Amino acid sequence: MLILGIETSCDDTSLAVVEDGSRVLALSTASQVMIHNRTGGVVPEIAAREHINSILPVLEHVLKEAAVSFDQIDQIAVTRGPGLVSSLLIGDLVASTLAMVSGKKIIPVHHIQGHIYGNWLERDHRDFHFPIMVLTVSGAHNELILMKDHLTFIPLGRTKDDAAGEAFDKVSRILGLGYPGGPAIAKMAEKGDPKAFKLPRAKMSGRYDFSFSGLKSEVLRIVEKELSASKELSEQFICDLSASFQECVIDVLSKKLFQAARDYQVSEVHIAGGVSANSSYRARIEQQGRELGFTTRSPVKTVYSTDNGAMIAACGYFLYRKNPGYYQHWQNVLPDPNLKFS
Ligand code: KG4
Ligand code: ZN
């Protein structure tokens, strides 16, 4: 089954053609990073306008790359929420229009469930074993989920304030490294000492909950202290603080993930979402998983970690397979910026 996946929940216009929820025939993404870098974050009206400019050229490109005509597409999967309403609207409108003129049906997809299915891309699905513990972490969400079966999710914990990706973005701004923060901090961290600064790990009453705002405030305090003493941040200071911050986030994420995996006696552990593009985080999960005896997975390519249309197509495939009557008539696909998880 060929599914066209459409993802426009934030600042990436990303479309993909995916076969049977695994084989990515083509993935095409128009990134707005250069535009939002100027403002240090995403401005919703600008993001929506850029989606309008990009989405039809990206559609044309992805079909060409996949070497399929639109007639050969079986279903259209589109992100319905959560996300920025004006951004979601563009993807949903294009999906609805395509469905209206072609008679194809639409599979609305939850963005975070899409991230979870990013791990199923380009893998043999017979190798997966439920239950699976999944930690999906992005700019806007930070969820620890027990996946008992396909599309059977039990949320165990979440962030009480900032998501880890948001903390990367805010710390990057504090250090003057620009947007998005994750890749910028990761690059500086390569040249830094992760033990240079002792940073706080928040103590939470909820065993599987997270909190990163105290960590961000501590980074701000350290930077302000340094600036009052030396007017400028040296490159080594920025690298050391980046490395210490990144280490702190990875430490918290990996400890909670493996703790939950042990508590629920799962054998398979996944990381997903934009932060799972971080190579040190991936390496830590892999190494600890090996030591502790878990099968670990992160998306096969880092482009399947950050927002992309392929994960939406993969999730759409499983939604359709589980319930072929699930799909929606084009008139019913309205964006929901606060779409509930299940
Ligand atoms: O999933 P995603 O692309 O968009 C949302 O759904 O929010 O995640 C974006 C987030 C941003 O906060 C970005 O800084 C973070 O993922 N991110 C990273 C890396 N690449 C992206 N964080 C750490 N290391 C990275 N290499
Ligand atoms: Zn996302």
Side-chain angles (χ1 to χ4, degrees), residues 7 9-10 82 111-112 115 136-141 273-274 305-308 311:
E7 156 60 39
S9 68
C10 188
H111 181 75
I112 301 172
H115 272 300
T136 174
V137 180
S138 287
H141 56 264
S305 289
T306 47
D307 289 350
N308 68 91
M311 69 186 197

Side-chain angles (χ1 to χ4, degrees), residues 57-224:
V58 171
L59 171 64
E60 224 171 308
H61 185 249
V62 83
L63 291 173
K64 197 166 165 208
E65 279 259 312
V68 296
S69 69
F70 185 67
D71 288 346
Q72 290 170 274
I73 299 288
D74 296 297
Q75 311 281 351
I76 303 160
V78 63
T79 306
R80 191 171 164 226
L84 301 172
V85 69
S86 46
S87 289
L88 290 163
L89 191 61
I90 311 307
D92 288 358
L93 272 176
V94 167
S96 299
T97 309
L98 289 171
M100 185 179 70
V101 297
S102 66
K104 296 183 202 298
K105 295 291 192 293
I106 297 182
I107 310 171
V109 173
H110 190 287
H111 181 75
I112 301 172
Q113 294 182 10
H115 272 300
I116 291 171
Y117 276 99
N119 262 308
W120 298 68
L121 291 167
E122 292 187 9
R123 286 197 164 115
D124 186 339
H125 296 167
R126 290 168 300 188
D127 295 340
F128 289 70
H129 299 287
F130 292 110
I132 300 170
M133 193 60 70
V134 191
L135 180 55
T136 174
V137 180
S138 287
H141 56 264
N142 201 118
E143 310 274 341
L144 184 60
I145 292 157
L146 177 65
M147 191 177 180
K148 287 192 131 178
D149 199 347
H150 278 299
L151 301 159
T152 308
F153 303 110
I154 302 187
L156 300 177
R158 64 201 54 78
T159 181
K160 293 294 174 195
D161 39 59
D162 294 350
E166 198 175 348
F168 268 98
D169 295 336
K170 286 178 176 169
V171 165
S172 177
R173 208 173 308 150
I174 292 168
L175 293 174
L177 299 175
Y179 173 86
I185 299 249
K187 189 155 173 262
M188 300 312 274
E190 281 171 21
K191 295 173 277 175
D193 173 7
K195 293 201 180 81
F197 296 93
K198 203 168 164 5
L199 296 172
R201 273 76 167 151
K203 295 260 181 305
M204 305 298 295
S205 53
R207 190 171 173 80
Y208 307 123
D209 286 334
F210 301 84
S211 163
F212 293 103
S213 77
L215 170 61
K216 172 205 65 192
S217 302
E218 179 60 9
V219 169
L220 180 61
R221 197 194 61 76
I222 293 170
V223 167
E224 282 173 347

